[in-house]
């Protein structure tokens, strides 16, 4: 994965579902959420004139980061998930899938990139640093419709 090009690609597209300045957030080693506004960080040799992508890359040398690809919204009445992203989709979920994923509530989905690497894990994060339990949760690879849809959106927007 080319982290720089992938972040540039997402930021160029994310105006429709998220503020581009919140496309990246810090995830600590224990998967709890750190700052969701890297534009305001004053450490890691970040300078005011650095671009958003340059700041994200400087943070990545020291911290895991989460790149947001879209938002999930589960609809209990219909066992559906609305995916608001670069490619908006509504998918019907089986009862089993809904039981498995329905507790995610409204959350952002994307990839956690491990610090100082280009290794990534697909998952979700509520992106609200004010909540004490804000954290990243991996979405386990599976053959179900939900995972395939999320994986397709992510794979089609990652630059290698």
């Amino acid at each position: 994965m080319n982290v720089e090009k992938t972040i540039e690609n997402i930021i160029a597209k994310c105006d429709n579902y998220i503020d581009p300045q919140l496309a990246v957030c810090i995830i600590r080693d224990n998967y709890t959420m750190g700052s969701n506004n890297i534009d305001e960080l004053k450490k890691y040799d970040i300078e005011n004139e650095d671009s958003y992508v340059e700041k994200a890359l400087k943070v990545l040398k020291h911290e895991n980061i989460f790149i947001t690809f879209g938002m999930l919204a589960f609809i209990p009445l219909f066992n559906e998930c609305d995916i608001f992203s670069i490619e908006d989709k509504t998918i019907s979920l089986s009862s089993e899938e809904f039981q498995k994923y329905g507790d995610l509530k409204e959350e952002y989905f994307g990839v956690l990139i491990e610090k100082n690497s280009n290794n990534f894990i697909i998952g979700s994060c509520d992106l609200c640093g004010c909540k004490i339990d804000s954290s990243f949760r991996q979405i386990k690879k599976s053959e179900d419709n939900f995972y395939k849809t999320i994986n397709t959106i992510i794979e089609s927007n990652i630059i290698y």
Side-chain angles (χ1 to χ4, degrees):
M1 166 190 218
N2 182 324
V3 177
E4 179 178 3
K5 295 294 183 194
T6 298
I7 294 172
E8 288 173 355
N9 185 39
I10 294 302
I11 289 173
K13 297 176 180 178
C14 71
D15 272 332
N16 60 344
Y17 67 92
I18 189 172
D19 178 349
Q21 298 304 305
L22 297 177
V24 173
C25 73
I26 293 173
I27 302 293
R28 297 182 189 103
D29 288 337
N30 65 359
Y31 285 170
T32 58
M33 195 178 128
S35 175
N36 67 348
N37 193 343
I38 64 166
D39 228 18
E40 294 179 355
L41 291 178
K42 301 297 180 207
K43 51 185 176 177
Y44 309 126
D45 296 322
I46 291 175
E47 299 180 18
N48 288 339
E49 58 274 0
D50 289 341
S51 71
Y52 186 81
V53 174
E54 289 170 329
K55 291 175 183 179
L57 294 173
K58 286 180 177 182
V59 170
L60 182 59
K61 290 179 182 176
H62 306 277
E63 305 273 5
N64 305 311
I65 63 170
F66 179 77
I67 303 175
T68 304
F69 281 69
M71 189 179 84
L72 308 171
F74 287 85
I75 307 168
L77 195 61
F78 302 107
N79 277 19
E80 288 182 351
C81 177
D82 278 346
I83 300 172
F84 303 103
S85 72
I86 297 151
E87 306 167 34
D88 288 349
K89 295 179 185 283
T90 298
I91 58 172
S92 294
L93 303 175
S94 67
S95 294
E96 294 80 23
E97 284 179 284
F98 195 81
Q99 289 296 319
K100 185 176 178 182
Y101 299 113
D103 64 333
L104 294 175
K105 308 291 181 241
E106 287 191 357
E107 294 190 353
Y108 291 99
F109 72 93
V111 294
L112 177 142
I113 303 174
E114 297 170 339
K115 67 178 143 193
N116 207 25
S117 78
N118 59 5
N119 301 327
F120 67 91
I121 303 167
I122 296 174
S124 66
C125 185
D126 59 23
L127 283 192
C128 179
C130 59
K131 288 175 50 182
I132 199 154
D133 62 346
S134 293
S135 61
F136 170 82
R137 285 165 292 290
Q138 181 176 358
I139 298 173
K140 300 282 187 203
K141 186 174 182 175
S142 67
E143 291 301 316
D144 58 36
N145 194 29
F146 176 79
Y147 181 84
K148 286 180 181 176
T149 302
I150 297 298
N151 189 55
T152 299
I153 291 170
I154 288 172
E155 284 294 327
S156 66
N157 289 285
I158 287 179
I159 309 296
Y160 288 97

